[in-house]
Amino acid sequence: MTTATIVPGAERALKNHVSLGQTVRNSLSMAYRGLLKIKRTPEQLVDVTLQPILFTLMFTYIFGGAIAGDALSYLPFFLPGILVQTVITTSVVTGVQLREDMDKGVFDRFRSLPIARVAPLAGALLADTVRYGIATTLTFVTGYLMGFRPEAGFGGVLAASVVVIVAAWALSWIFAFFGVIARSAGSVQGISFLVLFPLTFLSNAYVPADTMPDWLQWFVGINPVSHLVTAARGLTMGTDVTGDLFATLLGAAVVVAVFAPLTVRAYMRKA
Amino acid sequence: MNLTDPSWAIEADGLVKTFGANRAVDGVDLRVASGTVYGVLGPNGAGKTTTISMLATLLRPDAGAARIFGHDVVKEPQLVRQLIGVTGQYASVDETLSATENLVLFSRLLGLGRAEAKRKAAELLEEFGLTDAAKRPLKQFSGGMRRRLDLAASLIAQPPLIFLDEPTTGLDPRTRAQMWDTIRRLVSSGSTVLLTTQYLDEADQLADRIAVIDRGRVVAEGTADELKASVGSSSLQLRVADPRDLGDAQAAIERVLGVRATTSPEAGRLTAPMRDADRVTELLVTLREAGIHLTELSVQKPTLDEVFLTLTGHGVEADDTADDASAEPQFEGSRA
């Protein structure tokens, strides 16, 4: 076969654990695979290109007049809200696509390779931040074309984008978990939207919470999506949102800390 | 034999895997010496793929233990994975990526640098005659090309043990012969190969030792010659004109050839191992003298069917097993 002869199994230096460095390298290699896949099948990007434009236009003109008097005054309030809603919806697709991907034979090979167990999942999730980035960019561009001029300028928009993308990546672990345990891609979508709709609509993403009944205001107050929306809103407006920002990042860290190990365990059991 | 003797590439003791009520693998023992080709022969659903999956750390055994070069597959899975290459029954390569991208990805995952990974990919593609198709999407690949790419991917880390799960199932004869050549070259470089197959011929061509597996159990083990000797080098098939003569014919075969013939009463057919073609003349004379008339006479090379018939007393078809006294559960839904 090759010129080199095979080193016998008994004479190899081996270790039974994976270092953190290798875990990161493996995950990045898997992320590279995810990017190649996106490049090969650009039609998967339809949701992150059309949805932000459509939703931003639609909701601004539907709600704008009723809530803020006119569409233009509604935009600074609404745009961070619809951004969060769009990007989080996109993270559901991550779970659905992971399910489809895992049914392919190549995952058998990933399982048989001496790589970090988390890498095939972490890589896929990491590559999907590109999708969140596209959705974020298009939402802001649409808003800009409609007359949205954020007070905090480009720096604020950039900071808000990063926070939203980080939060969506953390949330995508939840949907990845559904992706691993579900039987089919369709059921992943079903369960995920069941979680997603109350979380995004029962928040301050579309309307200020003060007209809602008390019990709902209470839920909106503790809803992590509200913290994320408030943080993004504050960052684009240039107001102080340290508290919400901290709550958002802490929430994101907790979600990853809980769901990443759960997902990997479920993935290993499936193996 | 020492249990953790490193000269064994594979040691499996009493491996069991159950899927629901179905014991897909029901106590498999294997000993595969380093540097040899070991064939696991059996029909669909016999438990071949499930056995490989357990040895390759893809499935956790429900009972029993297995060691790869002395390392336990359950306790040291990450270590075992550094010693093996797995080529699945269904090509485990990424459909959306090109051949080069697949090999570069796997090389990178195995710790090769960017330039080194590209060089390795090009080298393997050249070796497996895939250079022309390197940049084409895999969707346009033929079955044989996919298998070759799959095998190439298993060789990146030059693992000392390679699992080949039905490497030629579904390939045309020419591609099959090419695959056999590839496997032979692989072994000459010092690898140990465990291959599963449904074809006796393939095991015969490639394997130093063969285990015949049926219903999750090893029913016979030995060299190809030993196995063939147990079924006769060929088998003699006779069909009697009058089914009532079947018993007499069977007795005559036992007397003259010294072997026990299996009967299929509904077809009036007898099958017996034939070690010595000369003795058949005597048998035919005996049958004529006894007034037993034949409608058909044929000699068949041993097929997996015959090996099974001889070793297990039942054929590979599920409907032949109905009269089996042990009444083991049948394997329809097995993953194997």
Side-chain angles (χ1 to χ4, degrees), chain B residues 7 47 62 74 89 97 127 146 164 167 200 214 223 225 255:
Chain B
S7 67
D62 291 334
V74 175
Q89 193 168 344
L97 272 52
E127 216 171 280
R146 257 171 237 241
L164 299 173
L200 180 63
D214 178 45
T223 63
D225 286 342
R255 205 166 53 243

Side-chain angles (χ1 to χ4, degrees), chain B residues 40-222:
Chain B
V40 174
L41 180 68
N44 268 332
K48 302 189 296 289
T49 301
T50 310
T51 303
I52 282 203
S53 297
M54 285 190 279
L55 294 174
T57 76
L58 296 173
L59 268 182
R60 210 187 159 89
D62 291 334
R67 281 169 303 279
I68 304 295
F69 295 106
H71 299 291
D72 191 283
V73 295
V74 175
K75 293 193 194 95
E76 303 172 292
Q78 196 63 16
L79 209 148
V80 167
R81 288 179 196 123
Q82 292 164 58
L83 295 167
I84 59 171
V86 186
T87 296
Q89 193 168 344
Y90 306 100
S92 37
V93 284
D94 202 323
E95 296 282 318
T96 36
L97 272 52
S98 74
T100 303
E101 285 165 348
N102 262 293
L103 293 179
V104 168
L105 170 68
F106 295 131
S107 302
R108 297 281 286 157
L109 285 171
L110 288 164
L112 269 59
R114 202 180 296 267
E116 211 184 333
K118 282 210 175 104
R119 196 183 50 74
K120 187 84 194 172
E123 183 188 303
L124 283 167
L125 288 171
E126 170 89 59
E127 216 171 280
F128 283 85
L130 291 168
T131 308
D132 294 339
K135 291 206 159 43
R136 262 195 275 154
L138 245 56
K139 291 184 183 81
Q140 298 171 13
F141 271 40
S142 68
M145 286 161 83
R146 257 171 237 241
R147 295 285 174 90
R148 292 213 298 277
L149 179 63
D150 200 14
L151 185 53
S154 305
L155 301 183
I156 292 167
Q158 299 197 312
L161 173 61
I162 294 161
F163 293 104
L164 299 173
D165 193 10
E166 302 200 8
T168 64
T169 300
L171 298 186
D172 60 73
R174 194 172 58 95
T175 321
R176 173 173 298 166
Q178 282 173 359
M179 199 70 181
W180 285 359
D181 281 343
T182 309
I183 295 168
R184 283 196 194 97
R185 277 188 291 152
L186 192 64
V187 178
S188 63
S189 69
S191 284
T192 308
V193 173
L194 182 122
L195 77 100
T196 70
T197 180
Q198 301 186 36
Y199 313 114
L200 180 63
D201 186 29
E202 183 161 289
D204 190 11
Q205 289 277 333
L206 296 171
D208 300 308
R209 289 188 80 81
I210 298 168
V212 181
I213 186 167
D214 178 45
R215 300 177 181 192
R217 287 179 165 279
V218 175
V219 293
E221 208 267 355

Side-chain angles (χ1 to χ4, degrees), chain A residues 9-88:
Chain A
E11 293 167 24
R12 296 190 173 207
L14 304 162
K15 51 184 173 35
N16 195 33
H17 70 275
V18 180
S19 68
L20 187 65
Q22 196 197 335
T23 305
V24 172
R25 275 197 307 279
N26 290 163
S27 301
L28 289 176
S29 297
M30 294 301 301
Y32 164 75
R33 165 180 180 263
L35 292 181
L36 279 176
K37 274 185 59 191
I38 293 176
K39 204 175 103 187
R40 280 297 127 73
T41 46
E43 62 270 19
Q44 312 175 10
L45 292 176
V46 168
D47 63 325
V48 293
T49 46
L50 290 184
Q51 194 188 324
I53 299 171
L54 194 70
F55 277 24
T56 309
L57 278 172
M58 210 167 67
F59 285 114
T60 305
Y61 291 115
I62 292 174
F63 294 142
I67 293 166
D70 63 276
L72 198 59
S73 338
Y74 183 49
L75 266 179
F77 176 85
F78 172 67
L79 205 74
I82 193 66
L83 171 69
V84 168
Q85 145 91 31
T86 305
V87 176
I88 292 181

Side-chain angles (χ1 to χ4, degrees), chain A:
Chain A
M1 189 92 293
T2 39
T3 43
T5 45
I6 305 288
V7 180
E11 293 167 24
R12 296 190 173 207
L14 304 162
K15 51 184 173 35
N16 195 33
H17 70 275
V18 180
S19 68
L20 187 65
Q22 196 197 335
T23 305
V24 172
R25 275 197 307 279
N26 290 163
S27 301
L28 289 176
S29 297
M30 294 301 301
Y32 164 75
R33 165 180 180 263
L35 292 181
L36 279 176
K37 274 185 59 191
I38 293 176
K39 204 175 103 187
R40 280 297 127 73
T41 46
E43 62 270 19
Q44 312 175 10
L45 292 176
V46 168
D47 63 325
V48 293
T49 46
L50 290 184
Q51 194 188 324
I53 299 171
L54 194 70
F55 277 24
T56 309
L57 278 172
M58 210 167 67
F59 285 114
T60 305
Y61 291 115
I62 292 174
F63 294 142
I67 293 166
D70 63 276
L72 198 59
S73 338
Y74 183 49
L75 266 179
F77 176 85
F78 172 67
L79 205 74
I82 193 66
L83 171 69
V84 168
Q85 145 91 31
T86 305
V87 176
I88 292 181
T89 311
T90 306
S91 72
V92 169
V93 179
T94 300
V96 177
Q97 288 183 349
L98 187 67
R99 168 76 269 162
E100 287 172 354
D101 210 15
M102 277 177 53
D103 291 333
K104 290 179 188 155
V106 71
F107 264 74
D108 276 341
R109 181 177 297 282
F110 293 149
R111 288 194 190 102
S112 75
L113 290 176
I115 57 171
R117 299 292 93 188
V118 73
L121 303 170
L125 266 46
L126 213 54
D128 263 17
T129 54
V130 169
R131 298 163 51 82
Y132 311 152
I134 295 173
T136 305
T137 310
L138 285 175
T139 305
F140 275 121
V141 167
T142 311
Y144 186 83
L145 293 177
M146 292 168 74
F148 171 60
R149 298 290 178 273
E151 271 124 84
F154 184 68
V157 167
L158 201 65
S161 305
V162 171
V163 171
V164 172
I165 291 171
V166 167
W169 180 78
L171 275 179
S172 70
W173 278 103
I174 301 181
F175 306 122
F177 176 65
F178 292 152
V180 174
I181 60 169
R183 278 175 201 275
S184 68
S187 56
V188 181
Q189 193 145 6
I191 312 169
S192 301
F193 276 109
L194 215 61
V195 175
L196 196 70
F197 271 118
L199 273 181
T200 50
F201 279 94
L202 302 183
S203 74
N204 58 359
Y206 301 95
V207 292
D210 38 18
T211 60
M212 298 176 191
D214 286 346
W215 58 270
L216 192 55
Q217 280 196 37
W218 169 81
F219 181 79
V220 170
I222 60 155
N223 185 350
V225 172
S226 300
H227 290 294
L228 174 59
V229 171
T230 309
R233 209 170 264 157
L235 286 169
T236 55
M237 288 175 172
T239 53
D240 178 41
V241 284
T242 322
D244 287 293
L245 196 56
F246 180 73
T248 300
L249 295 179
L250 182 72
V254 169
V255 167
V256 177
V258 171
F259 279 90
L262 271 180
T263 311
V264 173
R265 257 216 359 234
Y267 166 65
M268 287 301 295
R269 249 206 310 272
K270 208 126 193 168

